[in-house]
Amino acid sequence: MTATADRTDATDLPQVRRLVTEIPGPRSRALQMRKLEAVSAGVGVMLPIYVVRAGGGVLIDADGNSLIDMGSGIAVTTVGNANPEVVAGVQQQVADLTHTCFMVTPYSGYVEVCEALNRLTPGDHEKRSALFNSGAEAVENAVKIARAYTKRQAVVVVEHGYHGRTNLTMALTAKNMPYKQSFGPFAPEVYRVPTSYPFRDRGLKGPEMAQIAITRIEKEIGATNVAAIIIEPIQGEGGFIVPGDGYFKAMADFAQANGIVFVADEIQSGFCRTGDWFASEYEDVVPDLITTAKGIAGGMPLAAVTGRAEIMDSVHAGGLGGTYGGNPVACAAALGSIRWMEENDANARAKQIEALMMPRLKAMAERYPAIGDIRGRGAMIAIELVKPGTMDPDADLAAALNKHCHANGVVTLTTGTYGNVFRFLPPLTMPVPLLEEALGVLDQAFEDATR
Ligand SMILES: *Cc1c(COP(=O)(O)O)cnc(C)c1O
């Protein structure tokens, strides 16, 4: 269990939790005052410590505090912040050329990232990829491609799903606040069916939930009208919901039997986050299309749609793209990031993190009955908090724990439709002692909050 401990991946930042001021400190508070004057109030900040450096498992703020990073900027810096492989690739590329627009005069990095995606994503069929700037943009393009290929319009998504904040992806996203409130009207021909949420499905198994969803599609939409079914193999913003075994596969099989393009949204779960390159592999599902972003490029903005050649090539030339999509600097970052994942057995690291965290969280659940469920895979793990002895979500407790962790130098995140899920997304470069320390702080947070 020391494999991650003795490799801090060449960051020269001391791998320690060390607070030298209150959180946030005076410099961060001054910057936050300027933020309030300069930045739209619509852009919220969870923890206003202003970060100046980051790497391994720590974030250093403007006051010199060193905090443990249990969020990876929402599953983005999977290979560690400022990973040397990423930095080297970016520095070289930015000195050579910063942009030409791939659709005008191309460059090789774009093609190489697509080759890597085609090789690494599930299935050994012929594939093609297209690159974009953000996860939401990738999901929108997956819908465009599926509609062009099937010549159908309806798009099916599931409860608790999250797919982004653009107009089409707001329609695809389940949760109202904060994502959709006052931003309608939303795009038409989007239909939501049940997901599998084992903790809250009253004993119904994955295949039974799939049957309910499929009946809804058949009776209320008509399978022949459906262009795409879009599902996250593990739901991220919905609450790290791991569907019951068989649900994801049954939905994929139904799509295949009915000429529907099955899209796995792996923007949060992909790129070794769950201990597999892609979480779809866990149930041996080979999606027709797969959307990726977040962990793909070590923090540079990049996203992709990858899928069956005949589907991806069904779009007319010029139908896909965008000025910045597949920017050369972002592509260089992705190639560095992917190389690091391959050379450092990133999936094994994710599994080590799971092996360390699960028993610790289970032991906490014995002592704190507010922990109703522990779930996730690899370095994508969460606990769902309830009022003890009930199924009632306890969002206040999640907020209190979060506050305690932040004040004590651990950057943690909450999530979930009910705001009651406490999630862990450490970078795979997190040293083991720091991970243990972070869990110790969480334990103390429970101690304080439930006393
Ligand atoms: C974050 C996320 C998105 C949106 O990605 P952005 O880069 O924020 O546009 C879409 N789908 C899933 C599953 C995500 O986690």
Side-chain angles (χ1 to χ4, degrees):
M1 190 53 72
T2 55
T4 65
D6 34 284
R7 282 182 294 174
T8 52
D9 303 298
T11 178
D12 54 1
L13 294 179
Q15 297 297 302
V16 291
R17 176 173 63 109
R18 190 170 54 103
L19 299 186
V20 295
T21 70
E22 69 279 18
I23 298 292
R27 289 199 173 148
S28 283
R29 289 203 302 273
L31 283 160
Q32 180 66 4
M33 293 299 287
R34 284 167 57 190
K35 183 266 178 193
L36 296 175
E37 295 288 320
V39 181
S40 163
V43 182
V45 167
M46 179 192 71
L47 171 58
I49 55 152
Y50 281 73
V51 182
V52 294
R53 288 196 66 192
V58 298
L59 300 166
I60 313 295
D61 75 9
D63 293 285
N65 297 297
S66 176
L67 296 90
I68 304 177
D69 179 13
M70 292 296 282
S72 302
I74 318 187
V76 171
T77 54
T78 304
V79 298
N81 224 307
N83 180 299
E85 297 259 3
V86 173
V87 173
V90 165
Q91 281 176 337
Q92 183 61 52
Q93 184 57 54
V94 84
D96 288 347
L97 66 93
T98 49
H99 174 82
T100 63
C101 187
F102 188 77
M103 301 178 302
V104 180
T105 48
Y107 39 86
S108 64
Y110 190 116
V111 178
E112 287 169 43
V113 171
C114 291
E115 286 170 349
L117 283 161
N118 298 347
R119 173 169 58 83
L120 294 167
T121 48
D124 47 20
H125 51 281
E126 201 177 334
K127 292 177 216 159
R128 304 277 188 270
S129 292
L131 305 182
F132 306 98
N133 302 294
S134 71
E137 210 189 333
V139 175
E140 291 233 16
N141 278 281
V143 172
K144 284 166 63 173
I145 294 163
R147 283 179 172 160
Y149 176 71
T150 59
K151 306 193 165 52
R152 302 172 179 179
Q153 293 189 354
V155 178
V156 171
V157 287
V158 302
E159 283 165 7
H160 306 287
Y162 180 84
H163 302 288
R165 294 168 176 269
T166 58
N167 186 266
L168 177 55
T169 57
M170 279 192 292
L172 302 175
T173 288
K175 191 175 176 178
N176 180 45
M177 271 301 274
Y179 309 124
K180 300 164 77 164
Q181 176 65 34
S182 64
F183 299 144
F186 303 112
E189 287 303 316
V190 173
Y191 300 88
R192 193 172 309 287
V193 300
T195 191
S196 163
Y197 190 165
F199 182 59
R200 295 192 174 275
D201 285 343
R202 300 183 171 83
L204 290 177
K205 302 277 183 233
E208 295 167 291
M209 293 309 295
Q211 197 46 59
I212 294 171
I214 287 165
T215 303
R216 285 270 294 280
I217 296 170
E218 286 175 328
K219 299 301 166 200
E220 297 180 17
I221 312 162
T224 55
N225 295 319
V226 179
I229 299 176
I230 309 177
I231 308 184
E232 300 156 83
I234 296 182
Q235 294 185 299
E237 303 309 299
F240 279 29
I241 302 165
V242 183
D245 283 346
Y247 174 85
F248 192 64
K249 180 101 178 89
M251 297 300 282
D253 289 347
F254 170 75
Q256 195 192 15
N258 290 278
I260 300 167
V261 175
F262 187 73
V263 184
D265 183 348
E266 294 245 23
I267 288 167
Q268 192 154 163
S269 59
F271 279 103
C272 307
R273 182 45 63 186
T274 65
D276 286 307
W277 276 95
F278 296 93
S280 298
E281 292 166 45
Y282 186 78
E283 285 204 16
D284 284 327
V285 169
V286 177
D288 296 313
L289 299 182
I290 181 160
T291 54
T292 52
K294 296 202 165 92
I296 190 175
M300 294 296 285
L302 189 71
V305 181
T306 300
R308 294 186 187 282
E310 66 274 22
I311 300 176
M312 296 294 293
D313 283 344
S314 68
V315 181
H316 53 279
L320 305 177
T323 306
Y324 292 116
N327 169 273
V329 183
C331 286
L335 294 172
S337 179
I338 290 167
R339 188 174 331 111
W340 185 90
M341 289 178 187
E342 291 191 302
E343 286 173 1
N344 292 279
D345 200 351
N347 286 319
R349 287 181 175 221
K351 286 183 178 129
Q352 283 167 0
I353 288 171
E354 174 183 341
L356 187 144
M357 291 193 69
M358 281 300 189
R360 288 286 296 264
L361 293 172
K362 282 183 184 139
M364 277 188 227
E366 300 280 309
R367 283 179 291 128
Y368 309 116
I371 301 180
D373 193 25
I374 306 170
R375 57 183 180 245
R377 290 201 298 271
M380 184 173 185
I381 293 194
I383 52 179
E384 177 157 357
L385 304 170
V386 292
K387 306 256 163 61
T390 76
M391 293 295 287
D392 301 343
D394 195 345
D396 291 344
L397 177 59
L401 296 176
N402 218 22
K403 208 169 150 215
H404 178 107
C405 288
H406 296 170
N408 288 279
V410 183
V411 179
T412 48
L413 305 170
T414 59
T415 185
T417 300
Y418 313 111
N420 67 325
V421 176
F422 205 80
R423 64 171 151 174
F424 309 99
L425 288 164
L428 303 182
T429 51
M430 175 67 72
V432 166
L434 275 192
L435 188 58
E436 286 176 334
E437 197 171 327
L439 290 168
V441 171
L442 177 68
D443 201 330
Q444 193 58 51
F446 268 110
E447 204 55 63
D448 280 18
T450 57
R451 188 166 44 206

